[in-house]
């Protein structure tokens, strides 16, 4: 039993962190909200090997697992990365690996090389929204219980503006009628796996987002003075921050646990992802609530950066299965007649 | 990262499970699942006998180093022990203060002579301990203790006078560790000593305090020139605070694992009850049970993570001691959930006079969780100032 990351995993995280915190400043996030052009950013991420991080080595990637990537996803959250790196590395590339065959052989090297992007559209929410569908050259879309490999040129994509200006979401039309059988490339297990990996990605980013909001609020309340003292010296403010710190710190282990379960195909991986997503998104939601309060009116402005992170946290809470979905997955399992009860069933 | 038990650990699991299946029977069958939180006052004699049974099998103090009579069990093995113990319905451990607080404290800070004198009785399940920290004027502000310790040159003994309060299980204990002021002119955490006292002496009077459960688990303890030997102070006069705080560190270590297994049993009871009375069909109850389950998993994973060393991955320092705040809040919510699952039955006592069902005791007892061992408010102050480095509050 060992919950530690390896030295290599931590070093890799550190170098990605240096890059992301140095490059993806709040100013750059704001600029990308406005322009929507992230081509140079995608180029940088490709150069660092991040885009192909989970692509197997024989297809030109780094062949890393969910456990290797989870710390990076956290860092993506910390900077509110306005590019679909988590989607690509954690959902799209592994889905192609699951599908295998020629589709994998032709698309995975192009993902790793930054020449092509692949978007995956599945999940319990209706209408189904596909991230960055307009930039993808291949869309893996769930239709009638199967994943279909579709060429975006044959589809009608409609943009839905997100409150988080860095999320580019599309409804996809035109796939239903024509959905020719030949396009079906994978069924239920691959769909379930994509949902779980998407959920893990949200959870890990939520950890980073919560940390960022907490850091901003702790720094702000040390500076801002009222009644002749920093407002951060008041207990009511401190207790708001402490509550966030505890929820956040305690949400880490379940997220890391879920990453391990996915990497090892653990039979309860789906439930572990639900634990992770609920815990991390709850921490981020509390961070959003308490950190805006600690900022006073400043927190309510467009000018102060806090909202960039709050909005992503709110959006991710609903993506890849919302709270109700994940709680239901858990309670259904708990109330099954043969659900293992007892103290031995807790790991 | 490797989140599973090794074959050797699974072998160990079988060993303890088999032992419990063989021994937790006969005269001990009646105390299965008894004596846990809210039920500590029940069956003290039988549970003391059980401690000796455990000791005979080598199952007390398994985490202590072998040199001190333990098994030097790994963290994994201790986890497994607690899992199997709770699964088998092992009764609440009478020896836990000695095993998890006194023992590790003496191993870390005690003299050879103190270890030789006190550890074997704890290990054998024959000597029981209580914790004399809180006083009427020293609750959250623990450093405000007024109990005095004076060294009497003539008898070469320490004489202790003052009062402790809320002392759990003092009426069932053979010894008490006490923090008392060795320097009468000192204030705050300076000038304290940490003493090891025999409870059975004329200078000590124990008076039970009745709790809102109608039962008495804690007590007032009065010291009127109670004595202990010159060698019964741990560390030097003035080291008391350091030792007392070191002890609290052990309190939040491995001993938390056993507690989580009891929590799991309680949650399972609630789930069973919900299935029985139909509450399991209520979507709100189902969600709250899912929340409780997730909260317990979170504690479990975090304990494992903390205990596996959680290297440099950006976590809060362990000193921040966030566990107390988390579990106490979780457990208080669990008590409320139990009542809501019971519905109208929740209010009705199991039997006169004021006999409570297991879930009712859970509900009432869990109201104390956010108070003892450092209140939630005090924990939040510590987290904000020590872990988040927020500006300090002026202290009087
Ligand atoms: C069931 C139970 C068993 C116990 N067993 C033992 C035992 O075996 N041995 C032992 O030594 N003690 C024991 N205790 C005592 C326990 O440790 C104290 O109750 C606890 O430390 C709180 O002290 P207090 O009760 O005096 O509350 P107070 O310190 O009087 O606190 C009252 C209220 O004021 C708040 N408060 C106080 N200071 C601050 C501050 N600085 N900032 C914000 N809020 C503050 C508290 O949070 C609380 O809400 C036990 C208590 C209980 C309930």
């Amino acid at each position: 039993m060992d919950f530690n990351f390896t030295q290599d995993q931590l070093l890799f995280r550190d170098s990605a962190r240096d890059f992301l915190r140095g490059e993806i400043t709040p100013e750059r996030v704001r600029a990308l909200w406005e322009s929507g052009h992230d081509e140079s950013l995608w180029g940088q991420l490709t150069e660092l090997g991040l885009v192909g991080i989970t692509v197997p080595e024989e297809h030109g990637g780094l062949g890393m697992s969910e456990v290797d990537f989870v710390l990076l996803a956290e860092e993506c959250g910390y900077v509110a990365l306005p590019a679909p790196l988590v989607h690509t590395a954690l959902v799209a590339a592994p889905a192609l690996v699951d599908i295998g065959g020629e589709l994998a052989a032709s698309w995975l090297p192009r993902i790793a090389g930054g020449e092509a992007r692949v978007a995956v559209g599945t999940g319990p929410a209706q209408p189904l929204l596909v991230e960055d569908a307009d930039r993808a050259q291949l869309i893996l879309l769930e239709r009638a219980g199967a994943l279909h490999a579709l060429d975006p040129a044959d589809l009608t994509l409609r943009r839905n503006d997100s409150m988080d200006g860095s999320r580019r979401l599309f409804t996809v039309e035109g796939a239903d009628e024509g959905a020719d059988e030949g396009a079906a490339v994978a069924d239920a297990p691959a769909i379930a796996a994509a949902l779980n990996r998407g959920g893990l990605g949200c959870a890990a980013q939520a950890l980073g987002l919560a940390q960022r909001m907490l850091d901003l609020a702790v720094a702000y309340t040390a500076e801002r003075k009222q009644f002749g003292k920093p407002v951060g010296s008041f207990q009511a403010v401190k207790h708001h921050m402490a509550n966030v710190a505890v929820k956040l710190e305690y949400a880490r282990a379940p997220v890391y646990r879920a990453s391990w379960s996915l990497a090892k195909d653990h039979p309860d991986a789906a439930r572990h992802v639900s634990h992770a997503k609920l815990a991390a998104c709850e921490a981020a939601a509390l961070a959003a609530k308490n950190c805006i309060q600690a900022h006073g009116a400043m927190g309510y402005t467009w000018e102060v950066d806090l909202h960039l992170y709050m909005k992503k946290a709110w959006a991710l809470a609903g993506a890849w299965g919302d709270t109700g979905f994940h709680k239901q997955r858990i309670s259904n399992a708990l109330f099954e007649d043969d659900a293992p009860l007892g103290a031995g069933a807790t790991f | 990262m490797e989140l599973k038990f090794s074959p050797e650990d699974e072998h160990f699991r079988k060993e303890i499970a088999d032992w419990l299946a063989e021994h937790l029977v006969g005269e001990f069958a009646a105390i299965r699942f008894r004596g846990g939180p809210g039920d500590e006052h029940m069956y003290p004699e039988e549970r003391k006998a059980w401690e000796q049974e455990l000791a005979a099998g080598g199952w007390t103090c398994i985490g202590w180093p072998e040199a001190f009579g333990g098994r030097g069990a790994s963290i994994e093995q201790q986890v497994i022990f607690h899992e199997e113990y709770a699964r088998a319905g092992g009764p609440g451990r009478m020896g836990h203060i000695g095993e998890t607080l006194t023992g590790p404290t003496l191993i870390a800070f005690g003299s050879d002579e103190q270890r030789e004198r006190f550890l074997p009785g704890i290990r054998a399940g024959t000597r029981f301990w209580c914790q004399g920290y809180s006083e009427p004027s020293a609750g959250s502000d623990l450093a405000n203790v007024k109990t005095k310790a004076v060294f009497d040159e003539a008898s070469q003994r320490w004489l202790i006078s003052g009062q402790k309060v809320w002392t759990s299980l003092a009426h069932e204990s053979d010894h008490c560790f006490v923090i008392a002021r060795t320097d009468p002119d000192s204030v705050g955490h300076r000038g304290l000593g940490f003493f090891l006292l025999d409870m059975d002496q004329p200078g000590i009077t124990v008076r039970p305090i009745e709790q809102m459960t109608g039962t008495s688990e804690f007590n007032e303890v009065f010291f009127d020139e109670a004595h202990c030997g010159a060698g019964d102070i741990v560390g030097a006069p003035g080291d008391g605070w350091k030792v007392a705080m070191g002890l609290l560190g052990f309190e939040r270590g491995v001993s938390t694992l056993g507690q989580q297994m009891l929590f799991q049993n309680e949650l399972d009871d609630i789930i069973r009850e919900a299935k029985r009375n139909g509450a399991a069909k209520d979507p709100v109850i189902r969600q709250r049970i899912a929340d409780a389950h997730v909260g317990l998993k979170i504690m479990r994973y975090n304990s494992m993570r903390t205990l596996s060393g959680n290297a440099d991955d950006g976590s809060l320092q362990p000193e921040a001691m966030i566990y107390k705040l988390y579990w106490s809040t979780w457990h208080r919510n669990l008590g409320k959930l139990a009542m809501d699952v019971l519905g109208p039955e929740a209010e009705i006592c199991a039997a006169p006079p004021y006999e409570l069902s297991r879930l009712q005791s859970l509900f009432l007892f869990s109201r104390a969780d956010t108070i003892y061992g450092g209140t939630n408010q005090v924990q939040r102050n510590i987290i904000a100032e020590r872990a988040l480095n927020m500006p300090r509050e002026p202290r009087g």
Side-chain angles (χ1 to χ4, degrees):
Chain A
M1 185 74 59
D2 175 14
F3 243 110
N4 295 315
F5 288 95
T6 64
Q7 215 48 38
D8 283 349
Q9 286 165 334
L10 294 173
L11 285 173
F12 200 74
R13 186 269 318 266
D14 289 347
S15 64
R17 169 188 281 178
D18 289 346
F19 167 77
L20 289 168
R21 295 196 186 178
E23 288 285 322
I24 314 302
T25 58
E27 295 70 42
R28 187 147 178 209
V29 174
R30 285 169 185 276
L32 280 163
W33 271 42
E34 274 153 37
S35 72
H37 292 302
D38 74 342
E39 295 312 323
S40 68
L41 173 55
W42 201 252
Q44 283 178 297
L45 296 171
T46 306
E47 241 166 72
L48 289 167
L50 296 177
V51 166
I53 186 167
T54 56
V55 170
E57 282 166 299
E58 71 260 31
H59 294 305
L62 297 179
M64 290 191 176
S65 74
E66 286 87 348
V67 178
D68 300 310
F69 187 69
V70 70
L71 293 173
L72 267 61
E74 221 176 305
E75 294 302 322
C76 294
Y78 191 85
V79 299
L81 183 70
L85 177 62
V86 176
H87 183 90
T88 302
L90 212 48
V91 183
L96 283 165
V97 173
D98 287 350
I99 292 166
E102 205 170 308
L103 201 67
S106 73
W107 287 96
L108 286 170
R110 285 194 270 162
I111 292 181
E115 296 127 34
R117 300 208 206 168
V118 175
V120 180
T122 179
Q126 287 299 330
L128 191 55
L129 295 168
V130 185
E131 276 181 62
D132 285 81
D134 64 329
R135 298 227 172 92
Q137 285 74 41
L138 173 71
I139 298 185
L140 297 171
L141 194 70
E142 183 188 345
R143 281 288 181 263
L147 277 187
H148 293 246
L150 303 172
D151 180 348
D154 301 336
L155 306 167
T156 312
L157 305 178
R158 268 182 232 290
R159 172 92 187 245
N160 292 244
D161 286 330
S162 168
M163 206 196 292
D164 168 7
S166 71
R167 269 165 68 80
R168 308 176 66 261
L169 303 172
F170 295 83
T171 46
V172 178
E173 285 157 32
D176 287 318
E177 317 82 58
D180 91 76
E181 289 303 312
V185 290
D187 51 14
I191 293 174
L195 170 63
N196 288 329
R197 294 192 193 108
L200 175 68
C202 290
Q205 289 178 87
L207 294 179
L209 287 160
Q211 184 71 57
R212 182 59 169 268
M213 292 186 265
L214 180 62
D215 288 353
L216 287 171
V218 167
Y220 180 79
T221 55
E223 293 296 319
R224 166 74 177 164
K225 289 204 171 83
Q226 285 292 277
F227 304 98
K229 293 186 209 111
V231 295
S233 67
F234 300 129
Q235 268 195 13
V237 174
K238 281 199 175 113
H239 289 191
H240 271 328
M241 298 298 107
N243 286 339
V244 174
V246 171
K247 267 227 159 45
L248 166 59
E249 177 59 19
Y250 262 36
R252 292 183 201 282
V255 175
Y256 303 155
R257 201 274 182 269
S259 76
W260 187 86
S261 296
L262 285 177
K264 303 281 174 179
D265 279 327
H266 191 286
D268 293 334
R271 223 185 319 155
H272 296 157
V273 167
S274 290
H275 297 154
K277 185 153 194 284
L278 288 168
C281 289
E282 205 179 288
L286 187 72
K289 184 169 102 178
N290 289 3
C291 294
I292 187 174
Q293 191 68 21
H295 274 77
M298 275 298 192
Y300 185 62
T301 63
W302 192 268
E303 180 197 332
V304 165
D305 296 328
L306 186 64
H307 74 109
L308 304 176
Y309 309 100
M310 292 199 290
K311 287 171 180 171
K312 192 173 283 300
W314 289 326
L316 293 182
W320 298 104
D322 61 10
T323 304
F325 172 84
H326 286 287
K327 280 195 188 170
Q328 203 170 17
R329 275 216 304 201
I330 291 170
S331 60
N332 287 349
L334 286 175
F335 284 108
E336 271 169 21
D337 283 335
D338 56 353
L341 293 181
T346 59
F347 209 80
Chain B
M1 195 173 300
E2 185 61 83
L3 304 184
K4 61 175 191 224
F5 294 107
S6 68
E8 298 81 65
D9 288 339
E10 293 300 347
H11 180 79
F12 177 86
R13 180 186 297 283
K14 191 166 165 1
E15 191 185 339
I16 174 63
D18 289 349
W19 189 90
L20 286 165
E22 245 169 69
H23 291 81
L24 193 51
V25 292
E27 56 174 317
F28 299 120
I31 55 171
R32 287 184 68 218
F33 294 102
R34 297 307 302 261
D39 196 39
E40 284 101 338
H41 57 289
M42 292 303 292
Y43 299 108
E45 289 316 315
E46 293 81 347
R47 283 162 55 214
K48 285 181 177 176
W50 168 247
E51 289 289 323
Q52 287 149 32
E53 182 79 10
L54 272 178
W59 294 111
T60 54
C61 309
I62 61 168
W64 293 7
E66 286 174 43
F68 300 115
R71 290 182 175 231
S74 66
I75 298 290
E76 285 84 351
Q77 291 176 339
Q78 295 178 57
V79 171
I80 290 168
F81 172 82
H82 288 304
E83 282 178 352
E84 294 305 320
Y85 190 83
R87 195 210 304 265
R93 295 287 310 276
M94 288 293 287
H96 84 273
I97 296 182
E99 173 167 337
T100 65
L101 300 180
T102 316
T105 302
L106 293 183
I107 290 169
F109 302 105
S111 66
D112 285 343
E113 191 267 336
Q114 287 165 347
R115 294 175 188 145
E116 276 160 32
R117 206 142 53 86
F118 294 112
L119 296 184
I122 298 174
R123 160 71 187 71
T126 52
R127 307 294 286 173
F128 299 95
W129 286 76
C130 60
Q131 174 173 20
Y133 277 22
S134 303
E135 297 183 6
S137 60
S140 299
D141 187 8
L142 179 61
N144 196 37
V145 297
K146 303 255 192 277
T147 296
K148 287 193 172 33
V150 178
F151 190 68
D152 179 42
E153 293 291 342
S155 63
Q156 288 292 302
R157 302 199 293 199
W158 287 97
L159 300 179
I160 315 275
S161 298
Q163 186 198 340
K164 296 289 170 183
V165 68
W166 319 124
T167 318
S168 297
L169 296 175
H171 57 297
E172 294 291 348
S173 297
D174 306 291
H175 301 283
C176 183
F177 49 83
V178 170
I179 25 181
R181 208 159 279 290
T182 48
D183 173 358
D185 300 324
S186 65
V187 287
H189 59 265
R190 280 172 241 279
L192 298 172
F194 189 101
F195 296 92
L196 309 168
L197 268 76
D198 272 337
M199 290 296 282
D200 185 13
Q201 55 169 306
I204 295 184
T205 311
V206 175
R207 256 192 239 150
I209 304 173
E210 192 175 12
Q211 298 163 184
M212 68 189 268
T213 48
T215 57
S216 294
E217 178 261 358
F218 57 30
N219 304 272
E220 292 178 291
V221 183
F222 298 91
F223 300 84
D224 180 12
E225 300 209 323
H227 60 80
C228 63
D232 292 337
I233 177 169
V234 180
D239 287 347
W241 189 253
K242 185 184 84 188
V243 178
M245 292 300 112
L247 176 141
L248 291 181
F250 302 123
E251 188 167 17
R252 288 135 179 166
V254 183
S255 59
T256 60
L257 292 165
Q259 183 194 40
Q260 289 169 14
M261 302 305 147
L262 295 175
F263 292 169
Q264 179 74 46
N265 282 345
E266 291 170 346
L267 178 57
D268 290 347
D269 271 0
I270 294 173
I271 292 175
R272 254 184 234 110
E273 184 58 34
K275 282 182 173 174
R276 185 190 67 77
N277 74 4
K281 296 197 192 77
D282 176 338
V284 176
I285 292 286
R286 287 175 80 88
Q287 287 223 349
R288 288 173 60 194
I289 286 178
D291 282 337
H293 165 85
V294 173
L296 185 54
K297 290 281 179 183
I298 289 178
M299 288 189 268
R300 184 94 164 91
Y301 298 154
N302 273 288
S303 296
M304 297 303 295
R305 179 163 173 253
T306 311
L307 296 172
S308 60
N310 81 267
D312 172 33
D313 52 11
S315 322
L316 287 182
Q317 292 305 304
E319 297 90 274
M321 302 302 181
I322 62 180
Y323 182 64
K324 172 73 206 317
L325 181 57
Y326 196 94
W327 79 253
S328 63
T329 310
W330 179 89
H331 199 228
R332 191 176 59 184
N333 290 342
L334 188 76
K336 182 72 174 76
L337 173 61
M339 293 298 96
D340 294 344
V341 164
L342 284 173
E345 283 171 55
E347 183 192 341
I348 310 303
C349 289
Y354 219 77
E355 191 182 316
L356 304 173
S357 70
R358 222 160 101 84
L359 293 182
Q360 287 171 327
S361 309
L362 161 67
F363 172 60
L364 293 185
F365 185 77
S366 63
R367 302 278 123 181
D369 289 334
T370 53
I371 297 168
Y372 67 79
T375 69
N376 279 14
Q377 288 70 36
V378 167
Q379 303 293 345
R380 290 190 185 100
N381 291 348
I382 294 173
I383 291 165
E385 293 189 1
R386 301 210 198 131
L388 300 177
N389 290 314
M390 293 183 73
R392 292 185 76 90
E393 203 188 357
R395 293 243 153 68

